[in-house]
Amino acid sequence: MNSKPKNVLEILQLLDKSNCRKCGEKTCLAFARAVFQDQRKLNECPRLAKDIAEKVSEEIETRPPFDPGIEYLEGLKAEVARLDLAAATAGTGGSFSDNRLTIKVLGKDFSVDVRGNLSADIHINPWIAVPFLNYILHGQGLPLAHKWVSLRELSNGRERYPLFQRQCEEPLKRVADSYTELFDNIIQLFSGRQVAQQFESDISVVLYPLPKVPILICYWLPEDGLESGLKVFFDETADRNLGTDSVFTLGVGLAQMIKKLTFKHGFAV
């Protein structure tokens, strides 16, 4: 295979389709789907040649962050259009006026109207739009527990965490290592706030991509021969107020946006 898999069927073609179940899945198709969704590793198939598994796994891991595609996004907008949007406002931390639900996203107004049309004071990226709509459609509106946990501690987050490290935490760490003004800038740009040091970190910053889905970024400076460190945490209610897949999307999308902003300031990371 000369390019990374574009869909589940391309991964399925690599398998022997025996449905042996030795990987723990009921069928080879189910295993291929789990691999494509980053929930399983291709080398977990005991019947696949090691060199093929390693090559394709590397290609999958370098795949761009979650891109839902226009059809998925339009489907969510259609679902919202069928809601009683005024009633759905309760629990979101937003407000309803002029047939429009408006929620603060990173300190900026982000809205959807009763027909499912989106408008915002910021650029409408899929990595924001999809979690925003899922937050309205499926969020439980629970009060924050004020207990920070990593993605792997959220429901179904353990399988997603290795990729989250590579696509969110590691890129953010590289930015923080080379761009000393990073945290001051994201506080100003995204209406964040520096908080008391969490987990013995040197810097702790909280952002609000959604009212009930805050993100905590902790950074540890290098010290006594130890490398710097950066970890991202969520309120333990995030998987119920949004869903782990959308939490993953928010974190990775935010990391990519911060990296692009850093490039604009002339810092290569």
Side-chain angles (χ1 to χ4, degrees):
M1 180 174 290
N2 296 321
S3 61
K4 54 196 173 190
K6 297 182 179 64
N7 52 52
V8 173
L9 293 181
E10 285 195 9
I11 297 175
L12 181 63
Q13 289 173 1
L14 300 171
L15 309 177
D16 68 0
K17 306 177 188 65
S18 64
N19 298 328
C20 69
R21 300 193 178 191
K22 290 183 179 179
C23 66
E25 301 289 345
K26 293 182 178 180
T27 65
C28 290
L29 178 60
F31 177 75
R33 183 181 298 112
V35 171
F36 188 73
Q37 294 175 345
D38 304 312
Q39 297 172 354
R40 300 290 301 271
K41 297 289 186 184
L42 190 61
N43 59 16
E44 294 176 43
C45 172
R47 293 175 175 261
L48 190 64
K50 183 177 179 181
D51 58 336
I52 295 177
E54 290 178 350
K55 182 176 185 300
V56 178
S57 291
E58 181 179 352
E59 291 169 344
I60 292 172
E61 288 170 5
T62 57
R63 196 166 57 209
F66 173 71
D67 181 0
I70 190 66
E71 290 185 2
Y72 180 63
L73 182 57
E74 291 301 317
L76 291 178
K77 290 163 68 174
E79 284 189 60
V80 168
R82 292 192 290 268
L83 285 179
D84 179 343
L85 200 56
T89 301
T92 65
S95 60
F96 185 80
S97 178
D98 297 326
N99 291 321
R100 186 183 305 274
L101 168 56
T102 300
I103 295 173
K104 290 292 184 182
V105 172
L106 296 172
K108 306 293 192 297
D109 284 347
F110 205 105
S111 303
V112 61
D113 66 20
V114 292
R115 295 182 179 180
N117 298 312
L118 296 171
S119 59
D121 291 342
I122 55 177
H123 186 66
I124 301 177
N125 290 301
W127 70 266
I128 293 178
V130 167
F132 172 81
L133 294 173
N134 275 321
Y135 179 71
I136 295 168
L137 288 165
H138 307 299
Q140 296 181 21
L142 299 175
L144 295 177
H146 301 292
K147 178 181 178 181
W148 297 110
V149 299
S150 71
L151 184 96
R152 66 174 176 266
E153 296 173 85
L154 299 177
S155 175
N156 299 317
R158 185 174 296 276
E159 298 85 358
R160 307 282 278 160
Y161 184 64
L163 189 63
F164 185 79
Q165 281 184 300
R166 288 189 291 274
Q167 293 192 345
C168 177
E169 292 179 334
E170 291 175 9
L172 281 177
K173 175 184 173 301
R174 289 193 293 271
V175 173
D177 287 344
S178 61
Y179 186 30
T180 56
E181 298 177 10
L182 169 67
F183 295 103
D184 288 338
N185 282 355
I186 62 177
I187 287 172
Q188 294 174 10
L189 289 171
F190 306 135
S191 300
R193 58 189 177 91
Q194 189 161 353
V195 297
Q197 296 170 348
Q198 303 290 314
F199 303 105
E200 300 183 353
S201 62
D202 294 292
I203 300 173
S204 300
V205 170
V206 174
L207 304 176
Y208 282 84
L210 290 164
K212 294 193 175 182
V213 190
I215 291 178
L216 169 69
I217 303 174
C218 289
Y219 181 66
W220 292 263
L221 294 165
E223 184 180 10
D224 297 331
L226 297 176
E227 290 188 7
S228 62
L230 186 145
K231 294 294 180 183
V232 175
F233 301 91
F234 305 91
D235 191 85
E236 69 172 4
T237 60
D239 51 359
R240 287 158 288 166
N241 281 339
L242 180 58
T244 303
D245 283 348
S246 283
V247 168
F248 175 96
T249 300
L250 273 180
V252 172
L254 183 64
Q256 294 298 316
M257 184 171 69
I258 289 173
K259 186 176 179 179
K260 288 180 180 178
L261 290 172
T262 304
F263 271 119
K264 288 181 66 176
H265 284 80
F267 287 84
V269 294

